[in-house]
Amino acid sequence: MKYMLLIYENPGTREAFFSDEKLMAEMNAYVDGLTESGEYVGGEGLADPSTARVVRIQDGVPAVTDGPFMEAKEYFGGYMIIDCDSIERATEIASLFPPSPVGGAMEIRPLMDGGGSED
Amino acid sequence: MPAESVEGLLRRLAPEVLGVLLRRHSQFDACEDAVQEALLAAALQWPSEGVPEHPRAWLITVASRRLSDAWRAEHARRDRENADFAALPASELRAPAPADELPSADDTLSLLFLCCHPSLSPSSQLALTLRAVGGLTTPEIARAFLVPEATMGQRISRAKATIKDAGGTFSMPPDAERDARLKVVLHVLYVIFNEGYTATSGPSLQRRDLATEAIRLTRLVHRLLPADGEVAGLLALMLLTEARHAARTGPDGSLIPLAEQDRSLWHDDLIREGTELIAATLPRARLGPYQLQAAIAAVHAEAASPEQTDWPQVLALYELHERVAPNPMATLNRAVALAMVHGPHSGLDLLATLDDEERLAGHHRLTSVRAHLLELAGDTAAAREAFKLAAKQTTSVPEQRHLERRAARLSAG
């Protein structure tokens, strides 16, 4: 089963993370560990929300708004996709995410797949 | 019988060649790598140069050579020998198979037991079985499971290391463990089948091969263990399920439930084979859950229309299933049969007993069965809510679409 781990950050988390060498080393080891176990499918970090654009179709016309959307205390900062045997294992992986102690949260979402049984 | 394709031949020989190597060398990870390389070399050479007279001996020779290369060599030297090898005509590698190189029936079974070693996680058991016994390449397995090749490669090498650490050996498990170990093997084959069977067309097409592969491997196990009732039952179940495949998805990829399927699309040959197999097995073997599920599938297959389904017999078989192997999924299925025989309220009452069942709590199957029975009972509003809830609970795209559609149908009506 594949899960997406959505990484929520707040304005201070990345600063705190990048200024902590030990934490960054732990993060590398964390991804290496998931890669070695054959559970790591992929992941990306997102740029700061101030660089974002939002598109909404209004009356059939796309309306484009620039960021930032600074009211949000937490925003989506990146994701990882893992493929593991159970939600319990996915939870374990999420709870070991090294940057968590400096803030933010992890949301675990099962991925939809194309299969399905009729009975 | 049509001529066997090179690919089919290689896949058939893969476990036999690995078995021979393992009997000599016992180092599973190194032997398995060597056999994969030999298979790859054959896949490149045979189509253009022709299949050697003794294909098995050719593969054993090449794999053994790869194995000793790997043991001896530093990188530079191995590269040179690879080049030498590539230049070698296939005829030079032809060697009659000595007696000890003949495959033994136990080899393939021992190999399956090893790949489904209890120290491995389920997903590793699947991957390793497909590679070592099924002769599939890592990229093929990765595509089938929709993960990057690197992920699958890691999973396989990790699995081999785990077996090594756990002291797994290439031998038949002791008699006391044999039944339990065989159960794991059958479960792995069943999961491989389901991964392929439940895949719909389109982007998941390659996953369909998994169903074919699972049937091929289960046929193999059935040939090796003809007296085992559960092996026969699993094979019959796969054949009878696969028979419905063409009817189970609409042109737009949506799911079509059993009761609404166009039965003329069912595959008669598979139904006949599956039905005969289960009919021959039931009277003589010790009863087990795969045989019972196959028997139920056979009852459905017999009915020319949903109305002609022999529900009392289905109900009796589910009751037996629960006695032989109690599990909440069997109870859930029995609730449907119960509703068809004694009315939807009996089914709903039985479902209520499952609400506290941890393995089913929040499971879309429980909710969708309840929705279906509520609809039969005429409680449209509750049925609609239950279909909507089930649609939220499933992680399958076609299932979600199907459940949303059923909810919408109730709103309209």
Side-chain angles (χ1 to χ4, degrees):
Chain A
M1 185 83 207
K2 292 196 191 71
Y3 298 91
M4 185 182 273
L5 305 184
L6 293 88
I7 303 156
Y8 286 91
E9 299 179 3
N10 57 49
T13 41
R14 225 173 259 204
E15 241 181 318
F17 175 65
F18 284 125
S19 59
D20 190 333
E21 297 280 333
K22 192 169 149 277
L23 216 48
M24 284 169 63
E26 278 172 28
M27 184 60 197
N28 288 336
Y30 174 78
V31 175
D32 287 350
L34 289 175
T35 306
E36 271 162 37
S37 66
E39 291 169 314
Y40 187 74
V41 174
E44 299 288 347
L46 302 186
D48 192 83
S50 63
T51 61
R53 274 188 172 193
V54 174
V55 179
R56 266 181 237 280
I57 308 292
Q58 281 168 349
D59 303 322
V61 181
V64 182
T65 350
D66 281 344
F69 317 98
M70 290 313 294
E71 300 78 24
K73 283 202 189 80
E74 276 185 342
Y75 47 80
F76 186 38
Y79 74 92
M80 287 192 304
I81 292 177
I82 53 170
D83 185 9
C84 62
D85 283 318
S86 65
I87 182 74
E88 287 75 22
R89 171 66 185 148
T91 310
E92 182 186 23
I93 290 171
S95 57
L96 293 172
F97 187 62
S100 296
V102 297
M106 278 268 208
E107 184 177 341
I108 305 165
R109 298 279 295 271
L111 260 61
M112 296 293 286
D113 67 51
S117 52
E118 81 268 15
D119 307 306
Chain B
M1 207 171 168
E4 196 174 15
S5 68
V6 167
E7 199 196 342
L9 175 66
L10 290 174
R11 304 265 297 280
R12 181 166 60 79
L13 293 177
E16 298 178 3
V17 171
L18 181 52
V20 169
L21 250 66
L22 282 170
R23 264 193 277 150
R24 287 188 197 160
H25 305 293
S26 84
Q27 288 189 0
F28 178 60
D29 51 349
C31 289
E32 207 276 326
D33 281 339
V35 171
Q36 277 279 326
E37 288 182 39
L39 291 173
L40 197 62
L44 291 172
Q45 286 192 15
W46 294 4
S48 56
E49 293 175 23
V51 176
E53 204 176 330
H54 300 286
R56 183 184 299 116
W58 191 99
L59 289 167
I60 293 168
T61 308
V62 173
S64 306
R65 198 175 289 183
R66 291 293 164 116
L67 197 57
S68 45
D69 282 357
W71 280 333
R72 248 186 289 129
E74 324 73 15
H75 277 284
R77 188 159 153 208
R78 207 193 299 175
D79 287 348
R80 200 181 64 234
E81 285 190 3
N82 280 351
D84 290 349
F85 159 77
L88 207 62
S91 58
E92 284 203 16
L93 288 165
R94 279 182 203 161
D100 78 323
E101 285 177 353
L102 289 174
S104 118
D106 279 357
D107 280 358
T108 300
L109 281 177
S110 303
L111 196 54
L112 267 168
F113 282 124
L114 194 59
C115 292
C116 301
H117 197 272
S119 66
L120 297 176
S121 69
S123 53
S124 304
Q125 292 170 337
L126 297 188
L128 201 55
T129 299
L130 286 170
R131 201 172 114 134
V133 190
L136 289 171
T137 63
T138 302
E140 285 169 332
I141 303 168
R143 271 200 302 276
F145 287 93
L146 311 170
V147 297
E149 209 178 307
T151 302
M152 193 48 79
Q154 268 311 128
R155 201 173 293 173
I156 289 168
S157 51
R158 171 77 159 241
K160 290 196 279 188
T162 305
I163 286 180
K164 200 173 176 178
D165 293 345
T169 54
F170 177 67
S171 58
M172 293 295 264
D175 281 350
E177 287 173 29
R178 201 179 152 283
D179 275 4
R181 294 284 301 276
L182 184 61
K183 224 181 199 168
V184 179
V185 170
L186 295 185
H187 183 69
V188 166
L189 295 173
Y190 181 64
V191 175
I192 293 174
F193 174 79
N194 258 328
E195 289 279 345
Y197 177 73
T198 57
T200 45
S201 55
S204 340
L205 204 57
Q206 273 155 337
R207 289 169 67 76
R208 282 287 301 133
D209 294 343
L210 291 175
T212 318
E213 181 62 13
I215 290 176
R216 186 181 76 87
L217 293 176
T218 309
R219 276 189 198 283
L220 181 65
V221 180
H222 176 55
R223 221 165 28 237
L224 298 171
L225 297 173
D228 190 288
E230 279 298 87
V231 176
L234 177 60
L235 179 56
L237 175 62
M238 287 179 181
L239 295 169
L240 288 161
T241 310
E242 181 66 11
R244 301 203 293 254
H245 188 267
R248 72 183 286 275
T249 34
D252 59 349
S254 59
L255 277 178
I256 303 175
L258 192 56
E260 294 167 26
Q261 287 175 8
D262 174 357
R263 298 187 176 211
S264 69
L265 295 176
W266 287 1
H267 198 298
D268 290 336
D269 291 348
L270 291 175
I271 289 178
R272 197 171 315 117
E273 191 189 350
T275 306
E276 281 168 12
L277 181 58
I278 192 60
T281 305
L282 281 175
R284 60 162 179 80
R286 200 176 71 202
L287 213 51
Y290 289 124
Q291 290 167 72
L292 286 163
Q293 287 174 69
I296 292 161
V299 174
H300 284 300
E302 255 165 32
S305 70
E307 296 72 35
Q308 285 167 274
T309 307
D310 185 350
W311 284 108
Q313 201 188 346
V314 172
L315 178 58
L317 287 166
Y318 273 125
E319 280 167 358
L320 207 51
H321 186 319
E322 271 189 274
R323 268 210 297 282
V324 172
N327 87 73
M329 261 322 164
T331 312
L332 187 58
N333 290 324
R334 179 161 68 87
V336 178
L338 197 64
M340 298 310 285
V341 178
H342 298 296
H345 290 289
S346 323
L348 286 165
D349 289 346
L350 180 57
L351 285 188
T353 66
L354 288 171
D355 282 337
D356 295 330
E357 181 59 55
E358 208 178 305
R359 276 177 288 178
L360 277 182
H363 196 291
H364 69 93
R365 271 282 286 150
L366 176 57
T367 318
S368 63
V369 168
R370 176 170 287 129
H372 177 64
L373 299 190
L374 285 167
E375 186 180 359
L376 288 181
D379 191 344
T380 311
R384 187 174 56 232
E385 287 316 303
F387 276 125
K388 281 187 182 165
L389 177 61
K392 285 201 182 82
Q393 289 169 334
T394 181
T395 60
S396 148
V397 176
E399 233 155 45
Q400 193 167 63
R401 223 157 88 185
H402 172 73
L403 293 164
E404 290 289 4
R405 222 183 48 199
R406 290 197 64 175
R409 207 152 70 188
L410 290 174
S411 312

